[in-house]
Amino acid sequence: MLGKRETEGVVVGAGPVGLLAAISLKTAGVDVQVYDAGQRTAAHSYALVLHPATLRLLERFGLAASCTDAGRVVTRLSVYEGAERTAELDFARLSGPHAHVVVLPQAHLESILEAALEKLGVKVHWDHRVQGLEPTAEGVKLTVARLDKVSTGYPIAHTEVVVDKLFDVGAGYVLAADGYDSFVRRR
């Protein structure tokens, strides 16, 4: 094991939930670090709808306008069965400044959130997998693996992910935002 880092809080997972949680913590004055085993924000552009309540939350951090500008504002949604319209939702009838939803690819939302986090002085540690959690008297000790890719083979190349370096991180709190198969939750 090489190196030891200390922080008040660690967010594991840099999807929309983890990034917004880190923004919220940093804005509240909490020293936070973010680790994600992936190479970057979502490589896949999953469909994403930001509802009025989500837009109000993003507004608290000055991010709603960026999301609205980058996405598609929808004020009305019709549901069809074949050629027949069977239902309609009119979001414009909602009260408040966000009487609409915004359709935005997940990758775009994550880029907006990551840029906001960087402005706050927090860098996302991509290619860093949390692979150990241990309670301590002060909080939690995490074992983090910095990942790298190694290519071998000729004439057919084979690439695999390997651990480049292991280090410990001491934290007061850990927030699990590492997805449906959460390592943190299982621990």
Side-chain angles (χ1 to χ4, degrees):
M1 287 272 174
L2 299 172
K4 181 147 175 92
R5 302 177 188 182
E6 298 292 327
T7 187
E8 289 179 82
V10 168
V11 175
V12 181
V17 171
L19 292 169
L20 190 57
I23 290 168
S24 180
L25 289 167
K26 185 63 179 178
T27 301
V30 175
D31 179 45
V32 65
Q33 294 179 18
V34 182
Y35 295 99
D36 193 288
Q39 292 182 327
R40 61 187 183 290
T41 54
H44 306 287
S45 288
Y46 298 109
L48 187 67
V49 176
L50 303 175
H51 297 267
T54 303
L55 291 166
R56 284 191 301 275
L57 178 62
L58 290 166
E59 188 70 46
R60 286 180 30 201
F61 302 103
L63 301 171
S66 297
C67 293
T68 301
D69 292 345
R72 178 175 293 253
V73 174
V74 176
T75 57
R76 182 175 292 167
L77 176 71
S78 296
V79 178
Y80 285 83
E81 188 171 326
E84 181 184 346
R85 184 168 69 188
T86 58
E88 181 176 276
L89 298 171
D90 186 1
F91 301 114
R93 294 176 58 188
L94 297 172
S95 62
H98 302 290
H100 56 272
V101 298
V102 175
V103 178
L104 181 71
Q106 181 175 335
H108 286 107
L109 174 62
E110 290 176 354
S111 293
I112 291 167
L113 295 173
E114 185 179 9
L117 197 55
E118 284 180 7
K119 282 185 183 176
L120 293 170
V122 178
K123 180 182 179 297
V124 175
H125 298 280
W126 296 108
D127 294 313
H128 284 70
R129 179 180 64 218
V130 173
Q131 60 184 44
L133 285 171
E134 241 180 83
T136 67
E138 298 81 32
V140 182
K141 180 183 94 172
L142 296 90
T143 301
V144 179
R146 184 175 69 196
L147 306 175
D148 198 3
K149 288 190 176 181
V150 174
S151 295
T152 59
Y154 179 82
I156 299 172
H158 171 74
T159 302
E160 59 186 53
V161 175
V162 297
V163 174
D164 178 51
K165 177 182 176 182
L166 287 175
F167 58 92
D168 290 336
V169 176
Y173 299 94
V174 177
L175 190 145
D178 53 338
Y180 72 95
D181 192 26
S182 171
F183 170 80
V184 176
R185 180 177 35 93
R186 286 188 316 232
R187 291 295 182 263

